Amino acid sequence: MKNITMDKKLVWKRIVENIKEYLYIIFGTFIMSIAVLMSFDATEVVVGGVTGLAIIFKNLFGIPMWVINAGVNLPLFIIGFKVLDKQVFVRTLVANLCLTLFLAVIPVYNILTGDLLVDIILGSVLMGGGLGFVFRAYASSGGTDLMASLVNHKIKYFSVPKIMAVIDGIIVFMGIGVFGLSKGIYALIAIFIVTRVSDSIVEGPGRAKLLYIISSSPDDISNYIMNVIGRGATRVEVTGAFTKNKKNMLMCVVSSREMVKIKQKTYQIDANAMCFVGDIREAFGEGFTSFKG
């Protein structure tokens, strides 16, 4: 009887967590749509992603942004249905549907101050906050995230972050071609702010995260970290003080966003894994800050 009661509590706890995470997705995409509609589109600043592409097409051809967002993502989701993890796929689909809906129905008000830098900062904080809530729900808004994951599925030697950087870079350059170099410089400022704010929402303001993972499936987890995330990992043999059992511990330094993805994948591979996360105040080397003595 006690075990049945505990099982019910675990089920209800998971249901509550799922509801909370889907509320994160709805709230996050709502904030993102406000940033796109009332800041980035109004100031003609393209920060990458499918929404950036939508801003370009809207200004060139008058096509509504929600149409572009849906049109670009639809074939990606069709392709990704058989490729991506089902839970991540469903949450990302929900996030994209919410974002598309909000882009279509939210009325646009003029919230600009007239100072372009202030307006860009406002939009970037909103976008970063919205993305942070979506990432906390183990989802993404689709777009370049989804596109990069699909490309990585075919071309393993390019990591998802690198593919995303290339795709988003192309979209930003397209924005420069349409709106001018000065708007491109503001876009770089916006990207920096969006990244920092979303990282802070996901897992605090630290520059990087140190992950320790003890698992009976270290090969599968390390392959995911190296081939999909594009980070290195160190394997250390550890022995339990009480059980005397030997296991492998993985140690890796990653960004906050990457940490969320790795945790999600780790527990899909090994439900009994142990995972410890620590803050790194500074991280030097490949993929992080270059050390200058």
Side-chain angles (χ1 to χ4, degrees), residues 113-134:
T113 64
D115 185 319
L116 185 56
L117 181 58
V118 172
D119 295 331
I120 293 303
I121 292 174
L122 173 61
S124 302
V125 170
L126 289 172
M127 177 63 83
L131 277 171
F133 278 103
V134 173

Side-chain angles (χ1 to χ4, degrees), residues 63-203:
I63 304 173
M65 286 189 288
W66 72 269
V67 173
I68 299 297
N69 191 68
V72 172
N73 279 285
L74 180 60
L76 294 178
F77 279 106
I78 293 173
I79 297 170
F81 178 74
K82 294 183 178 180
V83 174
L84 302 178
D85 173 81
K86 292 300 179 282
Q87 183 179 12
V88 176
F89 175 85
V90 170
R91 294 186 179 207
T92 301
L93 177 61
V94 170
N96 189 257
L97 290 173
C98 288
L99 181 61
T100 302
L101 177 64
F102 288 139
L103 288 174
V105 302
I106 290 180
V108 178
Y109 297 101
N110 183 7
I111 63 172
L112 302 182
T113 64
D115 185 319
L116 185 56
L117 181 58
V118 172
D119 295 331
I120 293 303
I121 292 174
L122 173 61
S124 302
V125 170
L126 289 172
M127 177 63 83
L131 277 171
F133 278 103
V134 173
F135 293 153
R136 284 192 66 172
Y138 304 106
S140 77
S141 58
T144 52
D145 238 8
L146 181 56
M147 196 180 302
S149 297
L150 294 177
V151 172
N152 173 262
H153 186 74
K154 293 293 184 182
I155 310 176
K156 297 293 186 182
Y157 49 84
F158 284 122
S159 67
V160 171
K162 288 179 180 178
I163 297 168
M164 280 184 61
V166 171
I167 298 171
D168 284 334
I170 292 172
I171 295 173
V172 170
F173 274 107
M174 290 173 63
I176 292 174
V178 175
F179 301 118
L181 179 59
S182 63
K183 295 294 179 70
I185 295 172
Y186 279 111
L188 295 177
I189 297 172
I191 291 169
F192 175 79
I193 297 172
V194 168
T195 302
R196 295 307 296 265
V197 172
S198 63
D199 278 354
S200 297
I201 294 292
V202 170
E203 191 63 37

